[in-house]
Structure formats: C-alpha cells, structure tokens
Amino acid sequence: MRIDIISIAPNLLESPFNHSIIKRAKDKGLIEIIIHDLRIYGLGNYKQIDDTQYGGGAGMVMMIEPIANCIKKLQLERDYDEIIYMTPDAKTLNQGTANTLSLKKNILILTGHYKGVDQRVRDKYITKEISIGDYVLTGGELAAAVLVDAVVRLIPGVIGDEQSALTDSFQDHLLSPPVYTRPSEFDGMKVPDILLTGNFPKIEDWRSEQAHKRTKEIRPDLLDETS
Ligand code: 6GU
C-alpha cells in the first residue's frame, strides 16, 4: 500500500512513522508513506496557503489553489482509491473504516488546519472525510497518524501474529477481555483459575463472557452496532 499525506506541518508526522511497527512495515516494503509539504505549493513570494474567509469571521481558511496544484501533481503519477480529508466535522473513524481502507492500494490524505479548507476542495477532490473523535486538535496531522497506524497494522505481514489483529477489541464490536501474564500471583492478586487449566474451549467461553460483560459496562453503544 502507498499512502501520500499532504501537510503544512510535515515534521509532526516524522516520529510516528519512523519507529517500531510502522517503520518495520516500511523497511519490509509492505507500505510506503510519502509526506508532501503543502507550503511548497503556496502562492507567490510568501508561499501563501491560507486566507481570511468570505463573509467575515475569525480564523483563516486553507486556499484551494495550493491544494489543487499538489493533488493534481500527485494524480499525474497514480490514481488514488481514496482522497481523505482529516477534519473534526466528519464521521468518526471506527474499526470498520480501518478494515476497508487496509484493502486499498493508493490513499491520499489531506490534513486540515485553521478553520479548515475551502469547501470547494471537499466538493471537488475529497472522496472520504474522517474525524478521530469528538474533540478538536490543532491540526489533522496527529489524526492522520492515528488513521495510518490503525490501517497499516491490518495489512498482512505488518504485525507478527496475524491472529492478534483479528481478535482485537472492536473487530467483533466487543472490547477485549482482560489478559494476564506471569506471575500467577502478585500481592495476593491471582490470575483467574480458568486461564491456568489449559481447557481452551472453556477459556474461550470465559473470554467471550468477559468481553460481553466489559462492553456492556463500558461501551453499551457498541452492542447496538451492526457495521
Ligand atoms: Cl481529523 N482534525 C482535527 N483538527 N481535530 C480533530 C480531528 C481531526 N479529529 C478529531 N479532532
């Protein structure tokens, strides 16, 4: 998979993609992540990328021309399966969206700043808009990093134990059950007996029961979801 990201703060994206699992996935050739500095496409001597909004009101709006020029240049080299705009005024990211995106070949992500982008960018180029939650960040970069991380880890070969991605929280609209490792007792706190029995069908039943119990307590809304 190839992921292109258009950003006005490319430095913010360096660290998340150059460590640990994402870095290994890049090194293995499973993914390619290319960051494009929007400023390069800015207008005039000052490389302008934003302007005040028509109709008045506080805050700057990202202009269409620099973004259009950048997207058009990238589109000369490849077709994108999705052009995603990261913005808080969109549907929230969930595991289903991450699963769907993990099957794509080329994804382009535009990260928003300030008051957002000129609506015509969204109308003309954007095929999908994603927020990562009901709160506002200073820019879309960290949100893009979250999206890329959630998607990339689903690509076969990226995480060692593929079974583990399938049994994550949310894959079946349930939170994960509690997990334990050695020691079997710490300060009088014991690991549940069932996990030490080696009776795997019974252990699976217990885990499923615990997952339902946790979900019902913490995220009952997930139990109503069907997709
Ligand atoms: Cl995608 N961008 C910004 N700026 N804030 C957010 C967000 C995105 N998702 C949640 N909050």
Side-chain angles (χ1 to χ4, degrees):
M1 172 187 274
R2 168 159 172 144
I3 302 170
D4 289 273
I5 304 177
I6 303 172
S7 163
I8 66 163
N11 295 345
L12 268 181
L13 290 165
E14 252 161 47
S15 174
F17 299 144
N18 285 309
H19 296 284
S20 187
I21 292 174
I22 306 283
K23 172 158 195 304
R24 226 177 308 136
K26 292 204 303 190
D27 292 345
K28 281 202 248 175
L30 295 168
I31 52 160
E32 204 179 344
I33 303 175
I34 315 285
I35 319 285
H36 306 274
D37 187 352
L38 183 64
R39 184 67 65 177
I40 291 169
Y41 299 86
L43 306 183
N45 287 342
Y46 294 100
K47 296 287 166 199
Q48 185 184 3
I49 50 170
D50 59 350
D51 207 338
T52 54
Q53 54 177 319
Y54 279 122
M60 302 295 272
V61 175
M62 290 169 73
M63 304 165 82
I64 190 167
E65 289 123 307
I67 295 170
N69 289 340
C70 182
I71 292 178
K72 277 194 263 180
K73 179 165 173 254
L74 295 175
Q75 279 177 328
L76 289 178
E77 285 162 47
R78 59 187 51 75
D79 287 331
Y80 289 95
D81 300 303
E82 296 282 4
I83 302 184
I84 300 168
Y85 175 46
M86 302 305 301
T87 180
D89 57 340
K91 285 217 173 114
T92 346
L93 177 63
N94 61 22
Q95 193 61 48
T97 305
N99 291 347
T100 306
L101 290 174
S102 75
L103 303 171
K104 309 283 183 192
K105 219 170 117 215
N106 297 314
I107 290 177
L108 177 57
I109 302 173
L110 172 66
T111 58
H113 267 263
Y114 320 117
K115 275 275 163 213
V117 299
D118 189 302
Q119 179 60 37
R120 291 167 292 184
V121 171
R122 300 167 79 157
D123 296 343
K124 189 171 169 70
Y125 295 109
I126 301 301
T127 61
K128 199 175 194 58
E129 303 189 331
I130 296 177
S131 161
I132 64 162
D134 294 337
Y135 43 82
V136 179
L137 305 170
T138 54
E141 280 76 14
L142 297 181
V146 167
L147 173 66
V148 168
D149 191 286
V151 168
V152 164
R153 63 186 291 286
L154 297 169
I155 295 169
V158 168
I159 51 178
D161 175 4
E162 281 175 39
Q163 200 54 33
S164 148
L166 294 175
T167 56
D168 287 333
S169 277
F170 300 111
Q171 276 301 5
D172 43 13
H173 302 283
L174 291 174
L175 302 185
S176 293
V179 293
Y180 297 88
T181 185
R182 274 176 278 274
S184 63
E185 184 172 341
F186 179 80
D187 274 356
M189 302 163 80
K190 287 191 173 152
V191 170
D193 289 336
I194 178 78
L195 297 177
L196 308 176
T197 61
N199 184 337
F200 296 109
K202 277 252 167 67
I203 289 173
E204 274 318 298
D205 287 348
W206 180 85
R207 285 182 170 152
S208 165
E209 212 175 276
Q210 293 291 316
H212 279 90
K213 186 162 162 256
R214 260 194 184 177
T215 310
K216 213 166 152 186
E217 276 170 22
I218 303 169
R219 291 292 307 277
D221 54 301
L222 291 176
L223 296 170
D224 305 328
E225 269 185 43
T226 50
S227 64

